[in-house]
Amino acid sequence: MYAIPDSRLPLPQVLDRFPAGVPHRRNHVNDYLLVPREVDYFNGFLALLGRAQPPLQTDQLATAARNLNDVAAGDTPSPCIQQRIQHAHLLEQLLQDRDWEPSADISRELKLVVAYLHASRQLIPDTVPGVGHLDLAIVIDTAWPKLAAEVANFVDYQRLRHLEAERQGRSDDAIAFNRSSWLELREIEARLHEHQRRVREGSYAPEPFTYFRVH
């Protein structure tokens, strides 16, 4: 319920570096025509999020969509896109949680990503079968290096809040539990785990005698 995958399913490599010598002619994602000015706008948005690679070309996007269609099940997005959609909704939960205060140094990127999730101006319509969320997946991947640690903290916050709510016999939303509460409880849990580790590695009993004598 509160776990995030240890590994991220990769998006097509062509999105990071287009192979040299390949003609740049394709401009359709399935049957949807990519408009150059919208691609430029999208590249500008990615730059705001910190994309370091060269701007995306229409042929890269078309090639990536074709690669994903090969592994998608009908109209269902490929697993790597589904994973990014889940991460996008988790970021939305993080931003909307009234008791969680996101770290100030990622607030800008967080708001930009969640805004794109609901934006009417998106590069690829969500209705395009199989790859309609490819642009969102690219947005998530671009911002993820900055957001990953905050997401992991929020997931742990949800876990500890749930445990505390169970202890009190109340629902998660009914208890007072904020970032400070999470930090305090996390520290208590860490000390408990350290104590348990020492117990496993040692013993409360005195060390046994290596030999004994009979007088």
Side-chain angles (χ1 to χ4, degrees):
M1 179 178 181
Y2 301 109
I4 57 176
D6 292 331
S7 59
R8 291 168 60 76
L9 302 173
L11 294 177
Q13 293 183 353
V14 69
L15 295 170
D16 293 326
R17 180 179 299 174
F18 198 70
V22 178
H24 296 239
R25 297 175 180 172
R26 289 171 294 226
N27 55 10
H28 282 79
V29 170
N30 293 4
D31 293 331
Y32 182 76
L33 175 65
L34 294 169
V35 180
R37 68 174 179 275
E38 293 300 321
V39 175
D40 291 341
Y41 175 84
F42 185 68
N43 280 317
F45 184 77
L46 296 181
L48 287 176
L49 293 174
R51 178 177 169 87
Q53 296 92 337
L56 289 167
Q57 305 297 316
T58 57
D59 203 83
Q60 284 175 276
L61 295 161
T63 302
R66 186 178 62 181
N67 293 344
L68 292 172
N69 282 331
D70 291 340
V71 297
D75 292 345
T76 303
S78 64
C80 64
I81 290 183
Q82 293 184 51
Q83 186 184 60
R84 270 66 173 187
I85 293 172
Q86 293 172 357
H87 290 172
H89 290 305
L90 184 56
L91 290 171
E92 185 174 36
Q93 290 177 35
L94 189 158
L95 188 61
Q96 293 179 349
D97 193 302
R98 68 179 187 275
D99 294 322
W100 180 258
E101 300 175 5
S103 176
D105 58 349
I106 58 92
S107 178
R108 174 175 168 272
E109 289 79 6
L110 175 62
K111 291 177 181 178
L112 285 172
V113 171
V114 174
Y116 191 85
L117 175 63
H118 298 288
S120 58
R121 185 180 185 180
Q122 294 186 349
L123 181 62
I124 304 171
D126 294 345
T127 53
V128 176
V131 293
H133 292 89
L134 174 58
D135 54 333
L136 175 62
I138 296 170
V139 167
I140 293 293
D141 267 24
T142 303
W144 196 252
K146 288 188 175 181
L147 300 179
E150 184 72 11
V151 171
N153 288 341
F154 179 69
V155 169
D156 192 57
Y157 157 81
Q158 289 181 307
R159 178 184 66 84
L160 290 178
R161 179 176 63 179
H162 182 68
L163 290 176
E164 178 62 17
E166 282 190 332
R167 188 188 69 81
Q168 296 184 25
R170 304 167 69 185
S171 67
D172 292 8
D173 294 336
I175 67 171
F177 197 84
N178 56 22
R179 192 178 187 118
S180 296
S181 306
W182 164 70
L183 288 170
E184 180 180 353
L185 195 55
R186 186 178 68 166
E187 177 63 25
I188 293 172
E189 186 181 60
R191 291 200 301 267
L192 175 61
H193 288 168
E194 176 61 21
H195 172 73
Q196 292 171 336
R197 184 191 64 80
R198 291 198 302 268
V199 169
R200 287 194 302 269
E201 294 176 356
S203 173
Y204 286 118
E207 292 184 6
F209 294 109
T210 57
Y211 66 95
F212 67 92
R213 292 176 178 176
V214 177
H215 296 282

